[in-house]
Amino acid sequence: PYKHGLLNTASWGRGRGNIMAWDLSYIGKKVEEEAVRLVKDIATDMATNLVYKSPEDTSRFLSNTNASMDAPNESVDENKFLGRSGSIAQCTRAINAMPNDKLHSVYITNHVKYGVYLEAGYSAQSPNGVFYPVFVAVSSMYGRPRVIS
């Protein structure tokens, strides 16, 4: 008699007493869908802020900021010059490609050779690095930042 699969009264039977069973799969599915939406929002905020925090001299570093699902994208194209809006669009497409019904790991990477120097603060445009300050800022927007070493 109840909809949405929350209550299953079919298990009421003779000789077994009154048994009431709750089917929580509907709630579990909704929680997973909400988790997927939250992961996509966080990943989009992270990628967008990484691109804006990245120094834009030749645009090579920010153009090689890659978002991927389930495994890191370690590709580097030394001739890729997308600019900020193109880099954000590239990452957003990859993040939005994640299916809405199943939670996946999202990786945001940049494997340009001089990226280690940018992260170490050798750029006047990003003296505190790129990934670490963005990670802390975006993490604090969604909850307490946690650094995993």
Side-chain angles (χ1 to χ4, degrees), residues 86-97:
S87 298
I88 291 169
Q90 166 185 269
C91 289
T92 303
R93 273 193 304 276
I95 293 164
N96 288 335

Side-chain angles (χ1 to χ4, degrees), residues 37-147:
R37 186 194 62 73
L38 184 60
V39 165
K40 285 183 174 185
D41 288 349
I42 293 169
T44 300
D45 285 345
M46 187 77 70
T48 300
N49 283 287
L50 283 169
V51 170
Y52 278 113
K53 179 77 173 153
S54 297
E56 185 177 28
D57 182 21
T58 64
S59 173
R60 185 176 297 129
F61 182 79
L62 62 95
S63 296
N64 280 284
T65 300
N66 299 309
S68 58
M69 180 176 33
D70 293 332
N73 177 350
E74 297 178 356
S75 68
V76 174
D77 182 351
E78 296 292 332
N79 298 312
K80 190 192 305 187
F81 303 103
L82 301 175
R84 291 197 195 284
S85 61
S87 298
I88 291 169
Q90 166 185 269
C91 289
T92 303
R93 273 193 304 276
I95 293 164
N96 288 335
M98 182 169 40
N100 292 324
D101 60 343
K102 185 174 185 282
L103 192 58
H104 292 267
S105 296
V106 177
Y107 293 84
I108 302 173
T109 57
N110 193 314
H111 288 275
V112 172
K113 290 178 187 176
Y114 60 87
V116 293
Y117 298 107
L118 294 175
E119 195 60 29
Y122 284 92
S123 169
Q125 294 179 17
S126 297
N128 297 318
V130 179
F131 275 73
Y132 183 77
V134 168
F135 172 79
V136 171
V138 172
S139 297
S140 66
M141 288 171 33
Y142 290 95
R144 192 172 142 232
R146 193 175 102 199
V147 178

